[in-house]
Amino acid sequence: MAKYEPVIGLEVHVQMGTKTKIFCSCPNEFGSEPNTNVCPVCLGLPGALPVLNRQAVEYAIAASLALNCQVRDKSIFARKNYFYPDLPKGYQISQYDRPVSEHGWVGIVVDGQHKRIGVTRVHMEDDAGKNTHDGYRDSDRYSYVDLNRCGSPLIEIVSEPDMRSADEAYEYLTELKLAIQYAGVSNCDMEKGNLRCDANVSVRLKGAEKFGTKAEIKNLNSFRHLKLAVEHEISRQVALIESGGRVVQETRLYNPDLDETFTMRSKEEAHDYRYFPEPDLVPLTISAEWLGRVKALMPEMPACRRRRFVEEFGLREYDASVLTQERALADYFEAAAAASGDPKAAANWVMGDMLAMLKAANRTLDDTPVSAGRLGELVGMVTKGELTGKMAKDVLAKMASTGDDALTIVEREGMKAISDTGALEAVADQIIAANPKQVEQYRGGKTTVLQFFVGQLMKATRGQADPAAAKAIVERKLGG
Ligand code: ADP
Ligand code: ZN
Ligand code: MG
């Protein structure tokens, strides 16, 4: 393995979240009764004509911008001809030599190393339907064809062969997915097939100039499978070459149960598809003005937001990346930070207590019982010393169960951090007087007894003392 260098390029399909399909007005929906969301256009009936969905174009532009691609002012739809039972038209409407955008990149970090992975192109196309195969004995074997997915709007994102390890491929797909989600183009739900990935893998001797022959692994439907399949394929190719064989260009499938890839078919070439310009659609023209309008609606991208969280709020890199993992989470954090006046503390509360609480209640940020503004208020009260951390945890739980805000709960329950040192000192004096044996132990050098006194003080104040202040007072009094 040490002699070889892997080369990886990914082809990723994203189903865009439009209301309707790309060339007709059927609903673009997952999970409907089979063959109910169909019409003459998406069924490919003769003479039916496609009409391009404006929203699909705007999503394709948004995805292109999110991936730093240059959008063409003129792109061309092309027919990609092939037969399959889930493709009644006999061709996919795709884009070929003039895709909607090109020349982009995705930034990744692996082992602390920053790297840009090139994005060759983004093109738009319609999806095919879905075949399901059932039964295993000849007498009860059926194949089902569901055409609901025919005409769902896809973009295909093709990377340059820039990745050099399975980890880099994993990071690339992670960042790509995040960018597409932020751009609002798709939820990228892999379980629903809204994000699908094919991996092209080859190996070459380290230092070699030319790439080796690649194999393509199709239909990787999870991040874990991508990583395992690529790792497996790299070892397979190295072993093959080392034993005197050579890699053939082909399409393979990954079997996660056996952790191996196997031949699906020999690789088709572009000319097999007999691409030609789609005669039923005019060229797609994207004016500077239209592009500008889509650009103006783009949100801050995850990488920028992560950097800003570090620079503006002083968060640690790791925390910034956790908080930007979802746009909704980043929005929630920013709103909580603003309301608290203490972004670092807000970050800890959001990542810690808040997420734990949602998880325990099996909820998401969409239906959180505690709004960002209210969490921020609570955090602010801790920062100002009005509540101790422990009290705030109790208050947060009560906010979730009652729906009241922090101030209401604190006032109702008479909760208040004792920051008045005079009051704390009086209680500390009583505790010290009541425990002469422990005082003697402490003064005799057993300093761990300090914790006993702090505990007593916290108990006597029903947790309302600030632990740091309590410790300082007890320490000073015992010392004296
Ligand atoms: P094809 O015409 O066989 O589909 P493309 O040039 O369109 O090949 O590339 C398809 C994908 O394969 C791209 O993501 C590209 O980066 C990747 N790729 C191309 N050559 C190699 C190679 N030798 N090893 C690994 N990946 C490659
Ligand atoms: Zn339709
Ligand atoms: Mg290709």
Side-chain angles (χ1 to χ4, degrees), residues 9-16 60 63-64 67 69 80 92-95 99-102 119-126 153-159 172 176 180 195-198 200 216 218 267-268 273 275:
L10 298 190
E11 293 165 282
V12 177
H13 284 92
V14 173
Q15 185 180 318
M16 301 188 284
S64 299
L67 302 171
C69 287
K80 182 181 183 182
Q92 239 182 323
I93 302 180
S94 183
Q95 297 186 307
V100 68
S101 69
E102 297 158 296
V119 172
T120 315
R121 54 191 268 140
V122 176
H123 67 250
M124 303 172 67
E125 59 188 21
D126 58 359
L154 300 181
I155 43 173
E156 179 174 342
I157 301 155
V158 182
S159 86
Y172 167 79
L176 180 152
I180 298 290
L195 180 73
R196 296 168 239 158
C197 175
D198 306 335
N200 296 271
E216 182 184 18
K218 277 248 178 257
K267 170 78 182 157
E268 69 290 341
Y273 290 117
Y275 279 101

Side-chain angles (χ1 to χ4, degrees), residues 14-18 22 52-72 75 77 95 99-102 121-125 153-157 180 183-186 284 286 290-291 294 298:
V14 173
Q15 185 180 318
M16 301 188 284
T18 54
I22 185 168
L52 181 58
N53 180 335
R54 173 181 293 271
Q55 181 66 63
V57 177
E58 296 193 350
Y59 279 161
I61 297 173
S64 299
L65 295 173
L67 302 171
N68 307 296
C69 287
Q70 289 160 25
V71 176
R72 276 179 172 276
S75 64
F77 285 97
Q95 297 186 307
V100 68
S101 69
E102 297 158 296
R121 54 191 268 140
V122 176
H123 67 250
M124 303 172 67
E125 59 188 21
L154 300 181
I155 43 173
E156 179 174 342
I157 301 155
I180 298 290
V185 170
S186 171
L284 170 60
I286 298 171
W290 193 11
L291 180 59
V294 179
M298 292 294 286

